[in-house]
């Protein structure tokens, strides 16, 4: 019970500390922190329009967070979700415009599958480099993300460019029949449903299946997994492929539901924000859902802070960065007793002995 309370209290405490520090920063900038907090809540959850904007932003965050969470269950720190997302969006646009897909639900599914496959292969490459060549997956996945963005820009501005896109290079727009609409006529697209389902299904897989248990054993103690005869390499590659497929699906949905083509707007740092969401959720797929909604709300409130208080729209990125710093700092409390950490930081001075006359 005590450990469970700590698992819940530490992320909440880190988020509260980040909000306090962010409030202090905006106060130094001449803005009332209470006005900032109220507008932050109002812009995220204040009315139906705010909720739609929040949920629309939360959808890709759920999927890119899974790109971090699933490899983390296998003991890997993969932070290349941004690359898988942009390649997933590009693959979706290319499949929809270059292949004779049926202009119906089946065609939309095939285009999204193409995006998921592209993301799976890209992130699995980082896992393969780790398993077969001993290359650190954190560094390789980050560098591969930059390679993916460069490849995306080259293809969008070159071979796959729509000749009609003059000022903003983009691919051809998806046919109307392949686009993904909103839920019940709202601005919230079906990517939100896909994100929630992915978190539920993958969370159930990790907890309720033998292969999911084996993956967690590999992440918990590789030596034990090898002694038990578990196929560690295969499980690591599977985790990377599933995580990359989720990020690639996020890019495909963004193209099919939001942008209608692949362009530079797809590079919106959802992959990097997913790292933060996964860490706050402790890499648990079920916990990713509420955390992604919260951070989707932060992103949705940025424009309101800019209009009402004159703060930069990107000021919410400062809040996200502060949250990440405090989450990392909370690991010291998670891994040891708070009292022991306090004694280490502030050691007690030895008592002075009274001198004898």
């Amino acid at each position: 019970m005590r450990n469970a309370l700590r698992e819940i209290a530490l992320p909440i405490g880190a988020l509260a500390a980040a909000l306090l520090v962010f409030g202090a920063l905006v106060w130094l900038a001449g803005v009332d922190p209470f006005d900032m907090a109220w507008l932050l809540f109002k812009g995220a959850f204040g009315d139906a329009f705010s909720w739609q904007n929040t949920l629309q932003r939360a959808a890709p965050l759920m999927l890119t967070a899974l790109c971090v969470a699933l490899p983390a269950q296998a003991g890997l720190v993969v932070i290349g979700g941004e690359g898988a997302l942009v390649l997933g969006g590009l693959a979706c646009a290319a499949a929809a415009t270059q292949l004779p897909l049926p202009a119906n639900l089946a065609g939309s599914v095939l285009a999204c599958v193409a995006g998921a496959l592209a993301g799976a292969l890209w992130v699995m490459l980082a896992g393969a480099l780790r398993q077969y060549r001993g290359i650190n997956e954190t560094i390789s996945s980050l560098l591969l993300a930059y390679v993916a963005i460069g490849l995306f820009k080259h293809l969008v501005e070159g071979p796959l460019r729509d000749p009609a896109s003059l000022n903003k290079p983009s691919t051809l727009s998806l046919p109307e029949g392949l686009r993904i609409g909103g839920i019940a006529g709202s601005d919230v697209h079906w990517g939100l449903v896909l994100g929630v389902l992915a978190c539920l299904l993958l969370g159930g897989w990790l907890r309720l299946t033998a292969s999911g248990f084996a993956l967690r054993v590999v992440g918990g103690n590789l030596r034990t997994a090898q002694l038990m005869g578990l196929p560690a390499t295969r499980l690591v590659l599977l985790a990377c492929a599933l995580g990359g497929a989720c990020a690639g699906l996020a890019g495909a949905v963004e193209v099919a539901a939001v942008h209608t083509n692949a362009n530079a707007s797809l590079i919106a740092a959802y992959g990097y924000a997913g790292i933060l969401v996964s860490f706050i959720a402790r890499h648990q797929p079920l916990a990713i859902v509420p955390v992604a909604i919260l951070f989707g709300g932060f992103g949705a409130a940025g424009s309101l802070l800019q209009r009402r208080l004159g703060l930069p729209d990107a000021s919410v990125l400062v809040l996200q960065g502060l949250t990440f710093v405090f989450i990392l700092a909370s690991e010291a409390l998670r891994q040891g007793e708070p009292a022991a950490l306090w004694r280490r930081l502030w050691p007690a001075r030895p008592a002075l002995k009274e001198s004898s006359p």
Side-chain angles (χ1 to χ4, degrees), residues 14-241:
L15 180 59
L19 287 170
L20 287 174
V21 174
F22 185 66
L25 292 176
V26 299
W27 177 72
L28 292 174
V31 175
D32 188 341
F34 294 101
D35 290 342
M36 178 276 300
W38 167 245
L39 289 176
L40 192 65
F41 172 79
K42 184 178 179 182
F45 311 109
D47 53 30
F49 175 79
S50 299
W51 268 105
Q52 290 185 61
N53 198 2
T54 294
L55 294 177
Q56 188 177 29
R57 292 171 180 266
L61 290 178
M62 293 178 191
L63 293 169
T64 55
L66 288 172
C67 186
V68 181
L70 292 177
Q73 295 289 338
L76 277 66
V77 182
V78 172
I79 57 175
E82 186 76 5
L85 183 146
V86 298
L87 288 185
L90 181 64
C92 172
T97 56
Q98 305 298 321
L99 298 178
L101 299 181
N104 50 32
L105 178 60
S108 299
V109 171
L110 290 174
C112 289
V113 167
L117 182 61
L121 293 175
W122 197 254
V123 176
M124 191 168 64
L125 178 58
L129 290 173
R130 150 73 184 272
Q131 293 301 114
Y132 294 112
R133 306 302 299 174
I135 299 175
N136 182 277
E137 74 282 354
T138 306
I139 297 175
S140 65
S141 61
L142 179 61
L143 295 180
L144 283 171
Y146 287 108
V147 174
I149 292 173
L151 182 62
F152 173 86
K153 291 181 178 179
H154 168 71
L155 293 175
V156 169
E157 297 174 5
L160 297 180
R161 179 173 180 172
D162 179 6
S165 60
L166 301 177
N167 297 326
K168 187 177 184 180
S170 64
T171 63
L172 294 169
S173 296
L174 271 67
E176 190 70 31
L178 296 181
R179 298 177 188 178
I180 299 176
I183 302 174
S186 68
D187 291 335
V188 182
H189 53 71
W190 287 95
L192 177 68
V193 176
L194 293 176
V196 173
L197 286 177
C199 290
L200 293 176
L201 292 175
L202 291 172
W205 171 66
L206 287 171
R207 293 293 174 183
L208 303 176
T209 65
S211 57
F213 175 75
L215 179 67
R216 290 187 288 121
V217 172
V218 171
N221 192 316
L222 179 59
R223 178 61 178 167
T224 300
Q226 292 173 339
L227 291 175
M228 293 173 60
L230 296 177
T233 297
R234 189 186 309 166
L235 290 169
V236 166
L237 295 180
L238 174 63
C240 291

Side-chain angles (χ1 to χ4, degrees), residues 212-311:
F213 175 75
L215 179 67
R216 290 187 288 121
V217 172
V218 171
N221 192 316
L222 179 59
R223 178 61 178 167
T224 300
Q226 292 173 339
L227 291 175
M228 293 173 60
L230 296 177
T233 297
R234 189 186 309 166
L235 290 169
V236 166
L237 295 180
L238 174 63
C240 291
L242 289 175
C246 290
L249 179 61
V253 171
E254 284 294 294
V255 167
V258 180
H259 304 294
T260 71
N261 56 38
N263 57 66
S265 298
L266 192 62
I267 310 173
Y270 282 128
Y272 299 124
I275 301 170
L276 176 58
V277 172
S278 181
F279 270 84
I280 292 180
R282 296 299 300 157
H283 308 307
Q284 300 298 323
L286 298 182
I288 283 174
V289 175
V291 176
I293 292 174
L294 177 63
F295 276 83
F298 286 166
S303 60
L304 186 61
L305 294 179
Q306 183 181 39
R307 293 195 307 271
R308 297 288 185 86
L309 301 179
L311 294 173

